[in-house]
mmCIF file with all atom_site columns, all heavy atoms in Angstrom:
data_model
loop_
_atom_site.group_PDB
_atom_site.id
_atom_site.type_symbol
_atom_site.label_atom_id
_atom_site.label_alt_id
_atom_site.label_comp_id
_atom_site.label_asym_id
_atom_site.label_entity_id
_atom_site.label_seq_id
_atom_site.pdbx_PDB_ins_code
_atom_site.Cartn_x
_atom_site.Cartn_y
_atom_site.Cartn_z
_atom_site.occupancy
_atom_site.B_iso_or_equiv
_atom_site.pdbx_formal_charge
_atom_site.auth_seq_id
_atom_site.auth_comp_id
_atom_site.auth_asym_id
_atom_site.auth_atom_id
_atom_site.pdbx_PDB_model_num
ATOM 1   N N   . ALA A 1 34 ? 14.730 9.249  -3.495  1.00 98.00 ? 34 ALA A N   1
ATOM 2   C CA  . ALA A 1 34 ? 14.280 8.517  -2.316  1.00 98.00 ? 34 ALA A CA  1
ATOM 3   C C   . ALA A 1 34 ? 14.333 6.968  -2.549  1.00 98.00 ? 34 ALA A C   1
ATOM 4   O O   . ALA A 1 34 ? 14.629 6.258  -1.620  1.00 98.00 ? 34 ALA A O   1
ATOM 5   C CB  . ALA A 1 34 ? 12.805 8.972  -2.052  1.00 98.00 ? 34 ALA A CB  1
ATOM 6   N N   . VAL A 1 35 ? 13.981 6.542  -3.758  1.00 98.00 ? 35 VAL A N   1
ATOM 7   C CA  . VAL A 1 35 ? 13.977 5.099  -3.996  1.00 98.00 ? 35 VAL A CA  1
ATOM 8   C C   . VAL A 1 35 ? 15.456 4.526  -3.893  1.00 98.00 ? 35 VAL A C   1
ATOM 9   O O   . VAL A 1 35 ? 15.596 3.506  -3.315  1.00 98.00 ? 35 VAL A O   1
ATOM 10  C CB  . VAL A 1 35 ? 13.326 4.836  -5.425  1.00 98.00 ? 35 VAL A CB  1
ATOM 11  C CG1 . VAL A 1 35 ? 13.641 3.371  -5.898  1.00 98.00 ? 35 VAL A CG1 1
ATOM 12  C CG2 . VAL A 1 35 ? 11.818 5.053  -5.359  1.00 98.00 ? 35 VAL A CG2 1
ATOM 13  N N   . ALA A 1 36 ? 16.376 5.286  -4.513  1.00 98.00 ? 36 ALA A N   1
ATOM 14  C CA  . ALA A 1 36 ? 17.738 4.775  -4.453  1.00 98.00 ? 36 ALA A CA  1
ATOM 15  C C   . ALA A 1 36 ? 18.243 4.737  -2.983  1.00 98.00 ? 36 ALA A C   1
ATOM 16  O O   . ALA A 1 36 ? 18.841 3.786  -2.552  1.00 98.00 ? 36 ALA A O   1
ATOM 17  C CB  . ALA A 1 36 ? 18.644 5.657  -5.290  1.00 98.00 ? 36 ALA A CB  1
ATOM 18  N N   . LEU A 1 37 ? 17.868 5.769  -2.228  1.00 98.00 ? 37 LEU A N   1
ATOM 19  C CA  . LEU A 1 37 ? 18.266 5.862  -0.799  1.00 98.00 ? 37 LEU A CA  1
ATOM 20  C C   . LEU A 1 37 ? 17.631 4.732  -0.030  1.00 98.00 ? 37 LEU A C   1
ATOM 21  O O   . LEU A 1 37 ? 18.287 4.006  0.773   1.00 98.00 ? 37 LEU A O   1
ATOM 22  C CB  . LEU A 1 37 ? 17.792 7.206  -0.291  1.00 98.00 ? 37 LEU A CB  1
ATOM 23  C CG  . LEU A 1 37 ? 18.164 7.583  1.157   1.00 98.00 ? 37 LEU A CG  1
ATOM 24  C CD1 . LEU A 1 37 ? 19.677 7.645  1.346   1.00 98.00 ? 37 LEU A CD1 1
ATOM 25  C CD2 . LEU A 1 37 ? 17.543 8.988  1.481   1.00 98.00 ? 37 LEU A CD2 1
ATOM 26  N N   . ALA A 1 38 ? 16.342 4.514  -0.232  1.00 98.00 ? 38 ALA A N   1
ATOM 27  C CA  . ALA A 1 38 ? 15.597 3.507  0.536   1.00 98.00 ? 38 ALA A CA  1
ATOM 28  C C   . ALA A 1 38 ? 16.122 2.110  0.191   1.00 98.00 ? 38 ALA A C   1
ATOM 29  O O   . ALA A 1 38 ? 16.308 1.305  1.101   1.00 98.00 ? 38 ALA A O   1
ATOM 30  C CB  . ALA A 1 38 ? 14.095 3.630  0.212   1.00 98.00 ? 38 ALA A CB  1
ATOM 31  N N   . ILE A 1 39 ? 16.349 1.805  -1.059  1.00 98.00 ? 39 ILE A N   1
ATOM 32  C CA  . ILE A 1 39 ? 16.830 0.467  -1.436  1.00 98.00 ? 39 ILE A CA  1
ATOM 33  C C   . ILE A 1 39 ? 18.250 0.271  -0.789  1.00 98.00 ? 39 ILE A C   1
ATOM 34  O O   . ILE A 1 39 ? 18.528 -0.805 -0.315  1.00 98.00 ? 39 ILE A O   1
ATOM 35  C CB  . ILE A 1 39 ? 16.824 0.233  -2.951  1.00 98.00 ? 39 ILE A CB  1
ATOM 36  C CG1 . ILE A 1 39 ? 15.401 0.261  -3.438  1.00 98.00 ? 39 ILE A CG1 1
ATOM 37  C CG2 . ILE A 1 39 ? 17.520 -1.080 -3.285  1.00 98.00 ? 39 ILE A CG2 1
ATOM 38  C CD1 . ILE A 1 39 ? 15.229 0.177  -5.027  1.00 98.00 ? 39 ILE A CD1 1
ATOM 39  N N   . GLY A 1 40 ? 19.014 1.309  -0.805  1.00 98.00 ? 40 GLY A N   1
ATOM 40  C CA  . GLY A 1 40 ? 20.378 1.256  -0.195  1.00 98.00 ? 40 GLY A CA  1
ATOM 41  C C   . GLY A 1 40 ? 20.258 0.925  1.279   1.00 98.00 ? 40 GLY A C   1
ATOM 42  O O   . GLY A 1 40 ? 21.143 0.249  1.851   1.00 98.00 ? 40 GLY A O   1
ATOM 43  N N   . GLN A 1 41 ? 19.194 1.382  1.954   1.00 98.00 ? 41 GLN A N   1
ATOM 44  C CA  . GLN A 1 41 ? 19.010 1.117  3.392   1.00 98.00 ? 41 GLN A CA  1
ATOM 45  C C   . GLN A 1 41 ? 18.464 -0.255 3.670   1.00 98.00 ? 41 GLN A C   1
ATOM 46  O O   . GLN A 1 41 ? 18.398 -0.707 4.791   1.00 98.00 ? 41 GLN A O   1
ATOM 47  C CB  . GLN A 1 41 ? 18.010 2.157  3.980   1.00 98.00 ? 41 GLN A CB  1
ATOM 48  C CG  . GLN A 1 41 ? 18.658 3.524  4.133   1.00 98.00 ? 41 GLN A CG  1
ATOM 49  C CD  . GLN A 1 41 ? 17.726 4.444  4.903   1.00 98.00 ? 41 GLN A CD  1
ATOM 50  O OE1 . GLN A 1 41 ? 16.702 4.061  5.387   1.00 98.00 ? 41 GLN A OE1 1
ATOM 51  N NE2 . GLN A 1 41 ? 18.170 5.699  5.068   1.00 98.00 ? 41 GLN A NE2 1
ATOM 52  N N   . GLY A 1 42 ? 17.911 -0.893 2.657   1.00 98.00 ? 42 GLY A N   1
ATOM 53  C CA  . GLY A 1 42 ? 17.309 -2.262 2.850   1.00 98.00 ? 42 GLY A CA  1
ATOM 54  C C   . GLY A 1 42 ? 15.856 -2.394 2.440   1.00 98.00 ? 42 GLY A C   1
ATOM 55  O O   . GLY A 1 42 ? 15.295 -3.499 2.572   1.00 98.00 ? 42 GLY A O   1
ATOM 56  N N   . TYR A 1 43 ? 15.215 -1.284 1.993   1.00 98.00 ? 43 TYR A N   1
ATOM 57  C CA  . TYR A 1 43 ? 13.828 -1.403 1.528   1.00 98.00 ? 43 TYR A CA  1
ATOM 58  C C   . TYR A 1 43 ? 13.872 -2.285 0.251   1.00 98.00 ? 43 TYR A C   1
ATOM 59  O O   . TYR A 1 43 ? 14.702 -2.180 -0.598  1.00 98.00 ? 43 TYR A O   1
ATOM 60  C CB  . TYR A 1 43 ? 13.277 -0.052 1.129   1.00 98.00 ? 43 TYR A CB  1
ATOM 61  C CG  . TYR A 1 43 ? 12.818 0.829  2.327   1.00 98.00 ? 43 TYR A CG  1
ATOM 62  C CD1 . TYR A 1 43 ? 13.743 1.386  3.169   1.00 98.00 ? 43 TYR A CD1 1
ATOM 63  C CD2 . TYR A 1 43 ? 11.447 1.032  2.562   1.00 98.00 ? 43 TYR A CD2 1
ATOM 64  C CE1 . TYR A 1 43 ? 13.364 2.207  4.209   1.00 98.00 ? 43 TYR A CE1 1
ATOM 65  C CE2 . TYR A 1 43 ? 11.046 1.851  3.652   1.00 98.00 ? 43 TYR A CE2 1
ATOM 66  C CZ  . TYR A 1 43 ? 12.030 2.419  4.434   1.00 98.00 ? 43 TYR A CZ  1
ATOM 67  O OH  . TYR A 1 43 ? 11.647 3.249  5.496   1.00 98.00 ? 43 TYR A OH  1
ATOM 68  N N   . ARG A 1 44 ? 12.789 -3.066 0.109   1.00 98.00 ? 44 ARG A N   1
ATOM 69  C CA  . ARG A 1 44 ? 12.701 -3.878 -1.110  1.00 98.00 ? 44 ARG A CA  1
ATOM 70  C C   . ARG A 1 44 ? 11.330 -3.695 -1.820  1.00 98.00 ? 44 ARG A C   1
ATOM 71  O O   . ARG A 1 44 ? 11.199 -3.896 -2.980  1.00 98.00 ? 44 ARG A O   1
ATOM 72  C CB  . ARG A 1 44 ? 12.819 -5.423 -0.787  1.00 98.00 ? 44 ARG A CB  1
ATOM 73  C CG  . ARG A 1 44 ? 14.275 -5.732 -0.349  1.00 98.00 ? 44 ARG A CG  1
ATOM 74  C CD  . ARG A 1 44 ? 15.259 -5.527 -1.443  1.00 98.00 ? 44 ARG A CD  1
ATOM 75  N NE  . ARG A 1 44 ? 16.712 -5.764 -1.098  1.00 98.00 ? 44 ARG A NE  1
ATOM 76  C CZ  . ARG A 1 44 ? 17.521 -4.799 -0.757  1.00 98.00 ? 44 ARG A CZ  1
ATOM 77  N NH1 . ARG A 1 44 ? 17.114 -3.470 -0.740  1.00 98.00 ? 44 ARG A NH1 1
ATOM 78  N NH2 . ARG A 1 44 ? 18.779 -5.029 -0.422  1.00 98.00 ? 44 ARG A NH2 1
ATOM 79  N N   . LEU A 1 45 ? 10.302 -3.231 -1.066  1.00 98.00 ? 45 LEU A N   1
ATOM 80  C CA  . LEU A 1 45 ? 8.968  -2.904 -1.615  1.00 98.00 ? 45 LEU A CA  1
ATOM 81  C C   . LEU A 1 45 ? 8.912  -1.456 -1.890  1.00 98.00 ? 45 LEU A C   1
ATOM 82  O O   . LEU A 1 45 ? 9.105  -0.577 -1.063  1.00 98.00 ? 45 LEU A O   1
ATOM 83  C CB  . LEU A 1 45 ? 7.938  -3.326 -0.643  1.00 98.00 ? 45 LEU A CB  1
ATOM 84  C CG  . LEU A 1 45 ? 6.529  -2.752 -0.760  1.00 98.00 ? 45 LEU A CG  1
ATOM 85  C CD1 . LEU A 1 45 ? 5.865  -3.146 -2.094  1.00 98.00 ? 45 LEU A CD1 1
ATOM 86  C CD2 . LEU A 1 45 ? 5.607  -3.197 0.395   1.00 98.00 ? 45 LEU A CD2 1
ATOM 87  N N   . ILE A 1 46 ? 8.572  -1.150 -3.181  1.00 98.00 ? 46 ILE A N   1
ATOM 88  C CA  . ILE A 1 46 ? 8.384  0.263  -3.596  1.00 98.00 ? 46 ILE A CA  1
ATOM 89  C C   . ILE A 1 46 ? 6.988  0.435  -4.216  1.00 98.00 ? 46 ILE A C   1
ATOM 90  O O   . ILE A 1 46 ? 6.589  -0.436 -5.071  1.00 98.00 ? 46 ILE A O   1
ATOM 91  C CB  . ILE A 1 46 ? 9.418  0.696  -4.646  1.00 98.00 ? 46 ILE A CB  1
ATOM 92  C CG1 . ILE A 1 46 ? 10.846 0.349  -4.204  1.00 98.00 ? 46 ILE A CG1 1
ATOM 93  C CG2 . ILE A 1 46 ? 9.252  2.149  -5.044  1.00 98.00 ? 46 ILE A CG2 1
ATOM 94  C CD1 . ILE A 1 46 ? 11.389 1.149  -3.069  1.00 98.00 ? 46 ILE A CD1 1
ATOM 95  N N   . ASP A 1 47 ? 6.238  1.410  -3.795  1.00 99.00 ? 47 ASP A N   1
ATOM 96  C CA  . ASP A 1 47 ? 4.848  1.571  -4.203  1.00 99.00 ? 47 ASP A CA  1
ATOM 97  C C   . ASP A 1 47 ? 4.695  2.835  -4.996  1.00 99.00 ? 47 ASP A C   1
ATOM 98  O O   . ASP A 1 47 ? 4.993  3.962  -4.504  1.00 99.00 ? 47 ASP A O   1
ATOM 99  C CB  . ASP A 1 47 ? 3.955  1.613  -2.931  1.00 99.00 ? 47 ASP A CB  1
ATOM 100 C CG  . ASP A 1 47 ? 2.471  1.673  -3.297  1.00 99.00 ? 47 ASP A CG  1
ATOM 101 O OD1 . ASP A 1 47 ? 1.979  2.815  -3.475  1.00 99.00 ? 47 ASP A OD1 1
ATOM 102 O OD2 . ASP A 1 47 ? 1.842  0.607  -3.391  1.00 99.00 ? 47 ASP A OD2 1
ATOM 103 N N   . THR A 1 48 ? 4.235  2.693  -6.241  1.00 98.00 ? 48 THR A N   1
ATOM 104 C CA  . THR A 1 48 ? 3.997  3.865  -7.138  1.00 98.00 ? 48 THR A CA  1
ATOM 105 C C   . THR A 1 48 ? 2.647  3.674  -7.808  1.00 98.00 ? 48 THR A C   1
ATOM 106 O O   . THR A 1 48 ? 1.899  2.756  -7.468  1.00 98.00 ? 48 THR A O   1
ATOM 107 C CB  . THR A 1 48 ? 5.154  4.048  -8.122  1.00 98.00 ? 48 THR A CB  1
ATOM 108 O OG1 . THR A 1 48 ? 4.872  5.216  -8.908  1.00 98.00 ? 48 THR A OG1 1
ATOM 109 C CG2 . THR A 1 48 ? 5.264  2.837  -9.114  1.00 98.00 ? 48 THR A CG2 1
ATOM 110 N N   . ALA A 1 49 ? 2.272  4.555  -8.704  1.00 98.00 ? 49 ALA A N   1
ATOM 111 C CA  . ALA A 1 49 ? 1.022  4.456  -9.489  1.00 98.00 ? 49 ALA A CA  1
ATOM 112 C C   . ALA A 1 49 ? 1.145  5.409  -10.665 1.00 98.00 ? 49 ALA A C   1
ATOM 113 O O   . ALA A 1 49 ? 1.883  6.352  -10.654 1.00 98.00 ? 49 ALA A O   1
ATOM 114 C CB  . ALA A 1 49 ? -0.100 4.952  -8.546  1.00 98.00 ? 49 ALA A CB  1
ATOM 115 N N   . GLU A 1 50 ? 0.393  5.017  -11.717 1.00 98.00 ? 50 GLU A N   1
ATOM 116 C CA  . GLU A 1 50 ? 0.245  5.866  -12.859 1.00 98.00 ? 50 GLU A CA  1
ATOM 117 C C   . GLU A 1 50 ? -0.019 7.289  -12.433 1.00 98.00 ? 50 GLU A C   1
ATOM 118 O O   . GLU A 1 50 ? 0.541  8.245  -12.912 1.00 98.00 ? 50 GLU A O   1
ATOM 119 C CB  . GLU A 1 50 ? -0.857 5.344  -13.788 1.00 98.00 ? 50 GLU A CB  1
ATOM 120 C CG  . GLU A 1 50 ? -1.321 6.239  -14.829 1.00 98.00 ? 50 GLU A CG  1
ATOM 121 C CD  . GLU A 1 50 ? -2.649 5.791  -15.528 1.00 98.00 ? 50 GLU A CD  1
ATOM 122 O OE1 . GLU A 1 50 ? -3.304 4.993  -15.018 1.00 98.00 ? 50 GLU A OE1 1
ATOM 123 O OE2 . GLU A 1 50 ? -2.862 6.325  -16.616 1.00 98.00 ? 50 GLU A OE2 1
#
Side-chain angles (χ1 to χ4, degrees):
V35 166
L37 184 62
I39 294 174
Q41 288 189 3
Y43 283 73
R44 293 295 175 262
L45 162 61
I46 309 291
D47 185 271
T48 183
E50 168 191 17

